[in-house]
Amino acid sequence: MSDHVVVTDIARAERDVVDALAEFGSATVHEALGRIGCVGARIRPIQQGAAVAGTAITVQTAPGDNLMVHAAIEQARDGDIIVVVPTTDSPHGFIGELMATQMQVRGVRAYVTTGGVRDTAELRVMRFPVWSAHVSAQGTVKDTAGAVNVPVVLDGVVVHPGDVVVADDDGVTIVPRRRAAAALEASRARAAKEAANRARYEAGEISLDLNDLRGVLAELGVTYVTQAEYGDGGP
């Protein structure tokens, strides 16, 4: 089969699970998954305050060419997030206001890319969330075949169509579709633990004791000395 395909009938994570994961955010979900799935610091939001989760429509495209993004919009449903990965680093503005308008009307919740975007002021006014590696006014062509709804690698993280994309001010975390329910359960447990710890911190306890870190320091050879014992570092 050709690598140039549009897969039309992907399985998606359960909608209620996806919606619930949005409540916990990228960092909590990443930790709950066992510290996997975090895309990394290069993919950043163009806005502040947006927190979303959705199912991935994946796009493999040529650098500087957004033809397959147009094809992906047709495949998108309410609750999806379009994830676009050029085959090589490409800072071009693959989408702008007009592309985002089509996505928004179809219920697409966000756009995530290792490429670039433009019309960022308009996108913020539209409240259409975007996470990207680049912002650029430079446009694209529509000349090269690619693929929609095939596995892609988003800055080192494999994204399959239908996986859950969790994105907020801290970045993007990918949850494999088959692990979505388990990730939700683990996220709820982690959030409950954090709430209990927060109450103890507010009562005056500190993390060094709460997390039993004094023993770790001792095992690593860290000792406590007075300033006189250490020396003040002066001449």
Side-chain angles (χ1 to χ4, degrees):
M1 181 180 292
S2 169
D3 291 336
H4 302 148
V5 298
V6 175
V7 181
T8 62
D9 57 344
I10 66 168
R12 290 169 168 83
E14 293 295 330
R15 179 66 172 267
D16 59 341
V17 174
V18 175
D19 292 347
L21 281 167
E23 301 174 15
F24 296 100
S26 62
T28 294
V29 173
H30 160 65
E31 296 286 352
L33 274 172
R35 305 189 72 183
I36 64 169
C38 180
V39 171
R42 194 169 78 102
I43 310 300
R44 300 301 304 146
I46 67 165
Q47 68 285 313
Q48 292 293 304
V52 301
T55 40
I57 296 289
T58 59
V59 185
Q60 189 82 65
T61 187
D65 192 310
N66 74 351
L67 175 64
M68 301 312 296
V69 184
H70 290 267
I73 291 172
E74 182 186 33
Q75 300 306 313
R77 299 180 186 173
D78 180 56
D80 285 338
I81 291 177
I82 293 181
V83 178
V84 176
V85 179
T87 53
T88 62
D89 191 56
S90 182
H92 299 72
F94 281 80
I95 73 157
E97 176 190 5
L98 295 180
M99 296 282 279
T101 297
Q102 299 175 63
M103 296 180 198
Q104 201 168 51
V105 168
R106 298 181 76 84
V108 173
R109 292 179 171 175
Y111 180 89
V112 176
T113 184
T114 56
V117 296
R118 61 183 182 180
D119 297 342
T120 54
E122 290 86 348
L123 295 175
R124 285 189 287 270
V125 170
M126 293 169 59
R127 298 186 180 275
F128 183 75
V130 170
W131 285 258
S132 69
H134 306 284
V135 173
S136 175
Q138 185 178 16
T140 58
V141 296
K142 301 167 181 60
D143 295 334
T144 309
V148 175
N149 285 332
V150 300
V152 297
V153 181
L154 185 70
D155 260 22
V157 177
V158 177
V159 186
H160 292 86
D163 284 352
V164 185
V165 182
V166 182
D168 57 15
D169 287 348
D170 292 334
V172 178
T173 293
I174 304 300
V175 180
R177 178 175 62 85
R178 290 184 175 87
R179 295 189 61 185
L184 176 58
E185 182 179 354
S187 296
R188 284 172 171 158
R190 182 173 181 85
K193 180 180 178 181
E194 289 179 349
N197 287 348
R198 185 179 303 109
R200 295 178 68 176
Y201 294 147
E202 290 171 345
E205 294 187 64
I206 62 173
S207 55
L208 197 63
D209 295 319
L210 195 60
N211 297 321
D212 297 322
L213 297 179
R214 296 189 189 278
V216 177
L217 291 174
E219 289 177 5
L220 294 173
V222 178
T223 59
Y224 287 74
V225 298
T226 66
Q227 186 172 22
E229 290 169 329
Y230 182 70
D232 63 10

